[in-house]
Amino acid sequence: QLKLVESGGGLVQAGGSRRLSCAASGGTFSLYAMGWVRQAPGKEREFIAAISWSGGSTKYADSVKGRFTISRDNTENTVSLQMNSLRPEDTAVYFCAADTSVSTITSAKANYWGQGTQVTVSS
């Protein structure tokens, strides 16, 4: 059973940057596509970014394209999300997700989830 633990959330001013990390354990990390999904208060979960098992392919939501970058390290069993030019509308709980298929991550229906980390962007 794959376990995911996020870190790096916090309070940041608009225009600032933040880096989220997700550490995986309990499974063969390199077999899984990984991604990030966020949920703002009163809203449904929203796909943000995904990366293939090899790291050779990435996908982004239009809302973060050009501002966020997803990356992974299969030797450290981690996936990261570098967030730049943050906006107040980026405020949400950010969840790390894993699945054997990128498509299930992009539809926010992955099999494995972390507990989430709060990111708050102040204006």
Side-chain angles (χ1 to χ4, degrees), residues 1-122:
Q1 189 82 351
L2 196 66
K3 181 180 179 183
L4 306 174
V5 179
E6 302 96 335
S7 60
L11 177 66
V12 61
Q13 288 190 331
S17 298
R18 199 81 180 181
R19 186 176 181 87
L20 304 182
S21 293
C22 172
S25 61
T28 304
F29 181 72
S30 60
L31 293 180
Y32 294 93
M34 302 294 298
W36 292 90
V37 173
R38 69 186 181 188
Q39 187 168 21
K43 296 187 177 181
E44 294 186 352
R45 288 192 176 184
E46 174 193 16
F47 162 74
I48 295 302
I51 188 167
S52 63
W53 65 271
S54 68
S57 177
T58 57
K59 290 187 177 182
Y60 296 93
D62 288 343
S63 58
V64 305
K65 201 171 291 184
R67 299 188 297 125
F68 291 10
T69 303
I70 189 170
S71 60
R72 68 186 295 161
D73 185 338
N74 284 352
T75 64
E76 296 289 334
N77 291 355
T78 59
V79 61
S80 298
L81 185 70
Q82 178 65 41
M83 305 184 295
N84 298 328
S85 302
L86 283 162
R87 305 165 180 168
E89 54 263 40
D90 293 318
T91 295
V93 177
Y94 284 72
F95 296 91
C96 178
D99 205 291
T100 54
S101 168
V102 168
S103 63
T104 54
I105 295 175
T106 61
S107 61
K109 296 179 179 178
N111 277 322
Y112 300 100
W113 295 89
Q115 83 286 351
T117 187
Q118 176 73 45
V119 174
T120 302
V121 184
S122 63

